[in-house]
Amino acid sequence: MRPVVQETYGPADLSGNPIFGGGFINFGYWRAIDLGLLLGEAERIRSQEDLYRHVLDAAGLPNEPKVLEVGCGLGMGCVVALREYGSAAVTGLDIHPEQLERARGAHADLLREQPGRLGFVQGAAERMPVEDDEFDAVISVEAAQHFPDLDAFAAETSRVLRPGGRVAVASFFTVDDAPGRPEELARLLDTYANGLDIARPVERLADAFTRAGLTNVRVESIGHHVWPGWDLWLGRWWAPDTWPRNFLRAYERRILDYYVVTASRPG
């Protein structure tokens, strides 16, 4: 685990920051939320749940699917899949032991009452400690920007998916591989300057899925439903021209965007 990831999701406990809410850690999908109204915690939590709903819809789940979430954090998205998508079982995988400890605490009742439906395991996206052909769907929400090796993640995803299974990944990437993109983002955003987020074009993930033998690879830009709402919410704590507000600026400058990338395992 890289030290900046260790600190951010361990002692710093990003999930406790008020810019997030409800135990989620994502920027949100604000399509169904009226941004002209005063935003409260209920709207913020809905935006984060809606991002999971969009990803789970994109995964095209079969009846009673078995789902793996890579980078599950506190497991709130796992519960959305169980509660709303008829999942037979959901496994949350995360590299950080402190995140998993928080997840098990947050969902202690569900883990005790329905032990066969929800589980958490520690592991890296590039070395998943699960069996071959085990899952109908692999999802990952706002974690891939941290993965050091997208090719290894894609290969592992292909391995753990059953034939006919699908993957859906939501995260932010550069719009292209033009020279200087990492430096541009490092000047704008502290999370790129300190190495927490890794600057890569979205096509690198799409190509990694193809190299791993996955098919029907599709890239969907959803930035217009992410960045304006996220920036409006950030305005409760951060003034214009402070670094977190530069996510919207990077999007408007066509440097960075938010994507959902999907693919299928043949068969």
Side-chain angles (χ1 to χ4, degrees), residues 66-249:
K66 191 173 182 183
V67 179
L68 173 69
E69 182 182 2
V70 181
C72 67
L74 272 64
M76 306 307 296
C78 296
V79 174
V80 171
L82 285 174
R83 183 181 67 224
E84 301 182 19
Y85 286 80
S87 300
V90 180
T91 298
L93 182 150
D94 204 281
I95 195 171
H96 207 301
E98 290 181 58
Q99 288 287 78
L100 292 174
E101 182 179 354
R102 295 176 187 126
R104 293 185 180 110
H107 308 295
D109 290 345
L110 183 56
L111 288 166
R112 181 177 60 254
E113 295 165 5
Q114 302 183 51
R117 297 195 66 212
L118 178 64
F120 295 104
V121 296
Q122 184 180 358
E126 301 85 359
R127 296 179 304 280
M128 301 181 192
V130 294
E131 298 298 322
D132 295 358
D133 307 334
E134 188 172 350
F135 295 96
D136 299 295
V138 172
I139 66 167
S140 183
V141 174
E142 211 162 299
Q145 74 276 5
H146 303 321
F147 298 165
D149 188 337
L150 293 179
D151 278 297
F153 165 61
E156 281 289 89
T157 296
S158 181
R159 178 183 68 80
V160 305
L161 278 174
R162 293 170 177 164
R166 285 176 54 79
V167 57
V169 174
S171 192
F172 45 96
F173 298 88
T174 61
V175 300
D176 56 33
D177 60 353
R181 289 296 192 217
E183 291 76 17
E184 286 181 282
L185 285 172
R187 287 192 293 269
L188 286 170
L189 294 160
D190 285 2
T191 53
Y192 283 97
N194 67 19
L196 177 64
D197 298 326
I198 303 171
R200 293 166 297 200
V202 68
E203 289 303 324
R204 192 166 299 175
L205 177 60
D207 292 345
F209 281 155
T210 298
R211 285 191 291 270
L214 301 177
T215 59
N216 302 316
V217 180
R218 181 172 181 264
V219 175
E220 175 197 15
S221 166
I222 62 168
H224 54 300
H225 293 311
V226 174
W227 302 117
W230 172 240
D231 186 72
L232 187 62
W233 179 251
L234 283 176
R236 294 183 53 169
W237 293 274
W238 296 86
D241 299 321
T242 50
W243 80 262
R245 306 289 297 275
N246 285 340
F247 278 102
L248 179 61
R249 181 178 297 179

Side-chain angles (χ1 to χ4, degrees), residues 240-261:
D241 299 321
T242 50
W243 80 262
R245 306 289 297 275
N246 285 340
F247 278 102
L248 179 61
R249 181 178 297 179
Y251 170 65
E252 292 173 339
R253 291 183 181 178
R254 298 298 302 147
I255 300 171
L256 192 72
D257 202 355
Y258 206 107
Y259 297 94
V260 175
V261 183

